[in-house]
Amino acid sequence: AVDVDSTRKTRSAVIRTSTRQTIYLPIPGLVETSELKPSDLVGTNKDSYLILEKLPAEFDSRVKAMEVDERPTEEYSDIGGCENKSKNSLRP
């Protein structure tokens, strides 16, 4: 009998998701397991959970959803439309 796991060149990984699920990955993904250590933050594929990248230590996944993707081109003066409403609401 041959131990298949002992001949495997890649290592496996166990990750915990933001929803507190623990996932075993027999094939971790694009990041070498030698570069990873416990408590490292990683970016994963949302369907397969394969590790796509190692994130910086100061990265907070809860803030990612609020990150600015692009700067708006509109100005406050471009939007308008509330001047009459605000004048009418101030009258007694």
Side-chain angles (χ1 to χ4, degrees):
V2 175
D3 183 8
V4 177
D5 289 332
S6 67
T7 59
R8 186 183 307 172
K9 293 191 189 258
T10 59
R11 302 274 186 211
S12 56
V14 176
I15 60 170
R16 178 168 291 140
T17 67
S18 58
T19 58
R20 295 301 202 207
Q21 289 180 302
T22 302
I23 310 286
Y24 169 74
L25 301 171
I27 301 171
L30 303 177
V31 178
E32 290 292 327
T33 53
S34 59
E35 296 177 21
L36 299 173
K37 62 183 186 294
S39 77
D40 278 348
L41 297 173
V42 293
T44 63
N45 178 290
K46 69 177 185 166
D47 298 319
S48 66
Y49 295 107
L50 289 179
I51 299 172
L52 302 178
E53 63 181 324
K54 185 175 173 181
L55 301 174
E58 65 275 357
F59 187 88
D60 187 347
S61 59
R62 294 171 293 180
V63 177
K64 180 67 176 167
M66 296 178 257
E67 188 175 38
V68 176
D69 290 331
E70 61 185 59
R71 183 177 176 172
T73 57
E74 295 84 8
E75 305 251 343
Y76 281 110
S77 59
D78 296 336
I79 298 170
C82 293
E83 293 85 12
N84 290 336
K85 233 180 196 183
S86 62
K87 287 178 186 176
N88 290 336
S89 65
L90 294 176
R91 292 184 185 160

